[in-house]
Amino acid sequence: MTRRDVRGAPPRSLPEAVVGPGPRARQCSDGRVLDGGSPSPAPLAEAGPAETVRRWLRTLGGSPLPPAAAPAPGCPFLDWAASGAMELTGEEDGPPVLTPGPMVSLVREAGAALEHIAGRLLPVDPALVLGGRAGAMNLTRRGRTSVGGTTRLLRASDGWCAVSLSRPDDLELVPAMLGRPDVTDPWQELTTAVRGARTSEFTDHVRMFGVPAASLPPEPPLVDVPWQVSTIAPTTGRVQLEGALVVDLSSLWAGPLCAHLLGLAGARVVKVESTRRPDGARAGSRPFYDWLHFGHESVAVDFTVPAGRGVLADLLRAADVVIEASRPRALAQLGLAPERLDHRAGKVWVSITGYGRGRPDRVAFGDDAAVAGGLVGRSADGRPVFCADAVADPLTGVVAALGAMGALVQGGGRLIDVSMRNVAAAFAAAPPADHGPHPVRTVAAGTVVDCPALGRTQAVLPPRAPVAEGTAAVMGADTARILSPSTELRRRSDPR
């Protein structure tokens, strides 16, 4: 049996983690000690996961807050071990590593807040949120290669950066990035090229080609709230979630998870895809896609022709909630940017981007966005490793749903600008548990985590695959019915 001590960083869910005002030291999961406090009001270092979620909701203008709860007598590190996400974090040939923050606790508190707002039980299981895709696809940790295999952490002269080559075009652009045509192994040659460069210069260069890249900051950026809110329409009376119309233009993971949670809360979800560019997740894990999209209606139109754009405009006008995860200029080119449309009173528009609408040309995927927010694990030698599976994606989906539901029930009229990088930073900067070392041990049956303060041991569990209640609709299955002039959806497409 081998044994090593991994010290956690200070909790917010346990009473002993709360200290008086003023600067404090925080110890991270890699043993580093950070000095200084968080800005007021509601300093990050003082807030537990429940109060953190309440603080986010307060920015929506009086969203119904879940009642303040007593700190749960649990351990975020044991929760992490049980979630399946720890099994996805660490060196490929080494033991899994502890969370850099109370991720599971924050997801759980966000789920509790969603239940409170919806007024019904919602099955928001942090284990499925964080590890569901990996469980469905039988993926495992790979250290500085992402669980999905398309993003890598590369060592530069002054630190670390992440580059994602998720699309065929990304790989084809590597010769142009390197300035020569004779590239035989894109990853090996990028690894060699970055060694003599500064992280900021290298990532800026890669981004010039439209390829996602991010520098790992020395410490997670302090992000008090993971979204920005602006007004796009008049508010109205409290909108009931039951039957609210959600038009989901998003794809892949973060936006569809947001739509999935709104659907569980009782909303009617209509997924809209381009006939020329369907959701790429349809070609991925079918069980995972079905879990996200079962029960949603499907509309497919050609966005490149006037008739298709007209249909899309009608759907957006009819919606109570719009979810989109495109670059702002993409909708602007279609004449459908939120600032150019007439909106129904009470409309909520959720815009999910890599770095926020203020940085429209920066693209991101879940793994590189997490690195940009400082949300990484650390191996025993202090080197960064990817945290879970594209973790900024599911965290953003939960946060976006919280923003959408919180704004909607307060009368709406809001655009919720959700940055994946800021979501990752908000989770990374959350002070973890401060109740002593948490040894990670290898035993005959696998790996376990000890919590001496609670006298408990938790096995590190593999990620679980979600079980869909049924099959998602075929693309465009509901197009003719929904777009019929006689439907209620078409009748309500005029702003009011």
Side-chain angles (χ1 to χ4, degrees):
M1 173 186 311
T2 64
R3 182 185 184 100
R4 65 187 180 93
D5 277 352
V6 180
R7 294 193 176 272
R12 308 174 216 175
S13 56
L14 297 179
E16 57 266 35
V18 180
V19 300
R24 62 174 293 182
R26 292 190 289 150
Q27 189 171 30
C28 298
S29 56
D30 63 343
R32 294 171 299 129
V33 175
L34 312 182
D35 293 319
S38 303
S40 59
L44 294 179
E46 308 299 333
E51 179 53 35
T52 295
V53 171
R54 288 165 61 85
R55 185 180 67 250
W56 295 349
L57 288 171
R58 289 189 190 102
T59 66
L60 299 175
S63 289
L65 300 178
C75 171
F77 298 116
L78 299 188
D79 290 344
W80 176 250
S83 72
M86 181 171 175
E87 180 65 21
L88 300 172
T89 307
E91 301 285 357
E92 184 173 12
D93 57 354
V97 300
L98 293 177
T99 172
M103 238 180 300
V104 175
S105 302
L106 269 173
V107 172
R108 182 179 295 117
E109 292 297 342
L114 289 169
E115 285 189 347
H116 179 76
I117 294 169
R120 62 163 70 186
L121 183 66
L122 299 182
V124 183
D125 183 346
L128 295 181
V129 167
L130 296 171
R133 189 181 76 157
M137 299 178 68
N138 198 30
L139 303 176
T140 189
R141 64 183 179 277
R142 301 174 67 179
R144 277 164 294 285
T145 296
S146 65
V147 167
T150 59
T151 307
R152 297 199 186 183
L153 277 161
L154 306 177
R155 183 68 179 264
S157 64
D158 62 341
W160 293 86
C161 60
V163 175
S164 291
L165 302 178
S166 303
R167 304 160 294 190
D169 288 351
D170 297 334
L171 285 165
E172 293 171 3
L173 285 168
V174 173
M177 291 180 213
L178 297 176
R180 63 176 194 273
D182 57 334
V183 174
T184 56
D185 185 335
W187 279 121
Q188 183 56 52
E189 306 223 21
L190 284 172
T191 300
T192 301
V194 73
R195 285 179 186 148
R198 296 177 63 84
T199 57
S200 59
E201 295 171 354
F202 186 79
T203 54
D204 286 347
H205 177 73
V206 171
R207 290 190 195 115
M208 287 174 55
F209 296 87
V211 173
S215 298
L216 176 63
E219 308 296 346
L222 284 177
V223 173
D224 195 51
V225 179
W227 54 55
Q228 294 186 4
V229 182
S230 58
T231 299
I232 58 168
T235 59
T236 186
R238 289 175 64 90
V239 179
Q240 295 297 317
L241 287 166
E242 185 71 39
L245 176 62
V246 176
V247 172
D248 177 21
L249 307 182
S250 68
S251 60
L252 300 178
W253 194 351
L257 178 58
C258 173
H260 169 75
L261 294 171
L262 292 175
L264 293 178
R268 175 189 179 188
V269 179
V270 177
K271 181 176 180 65
V272 182
E273 295 171 85
S274 166
T275 54
R276 293 175 179 264
R277 192 174 180 180
D279 184 350
R282 287 185 178 274
S285 167
R286 187 69 203 192
F288 185 67
Y289 186 88
D290 288 340
W291 178 67
L292 285 176
H293 295 283
F294 170 70
H296 301 177
E297 297 162 89
S298 175
V299 168
V301 295
D302 186 349
F303 296 172
T304 66
V305 299
R309 292 194 295 272
V311 165
L312 182 56
D314 285 346
L315 291 171
L316 296 179
R317 280 193 291 266
D320 296 305
V321 178
V322 174
I323 303 169
E324 51 91 4
S326 55
R327 295 192 205 185
R329 73 181 182 191
L331 286 177
Q333 289 170 347
L334 297 176
L336 299 174
E339 58 271 14
R340 296 185 183 179
L341 297 177
D342 294 323
H343 297 289
R344 297 163 51 83
K347 168 77 65 62
V348 172
W349 189 293
V350 178
S351 176
I352 298 172
T353 59
Y355 292 83
R357 295 179 68 81
R359 297 171 116 174
D361 293 325
R362 282 199 178 185
V363 295
F365 293 114
D367 286 300
D368 57 89
V371 170
L375 188 54
V376 296
R378 294 279 175 175
S379 60
D381 61 9
R383 291 185 296 169
V385 291
F386 284 105
C387 184
D389 175 24
V391 72
D393 268 313
L395 296 181
T396 298
V398 171
V399 166
L402 189 65
M405 289 173 58
L408 189 66
V409 300
Q410 285 302 303
R414 301 286 185 262
L415 186 149
I416 313 297
D417 178 3
V418 185
S419 154
M420 294 173 67
R421 176 264 193 188
N422 283 358
V423 169
F427 277 79
D434 188 22
H435 52 130
H438 286 71
V440 177
R441 296 184 289 120
T442 301
V443 297
T447 308
V448 299
V449 178
D450 295 327
C451 179
L454 298 182
R456 290 174 48 201
T457 295
Q458 171 64 54
V460 177
L461 301 180
R464 289 190 288 117
V467 178
E469 296 182 20
T471 303
V474 173
M475 188 177 79
D478 305 290
T479 303
R481 175 178 57 79
I482 288 177
L483 300 187
S484 168
S486 62
T487 63
E488 178 196 358
L489 187 149
R490 294 302 295 270
R491 291 196 300 270
R492 62 183 265 159
S493 64
D494 290 331
R496 66 171 187 257

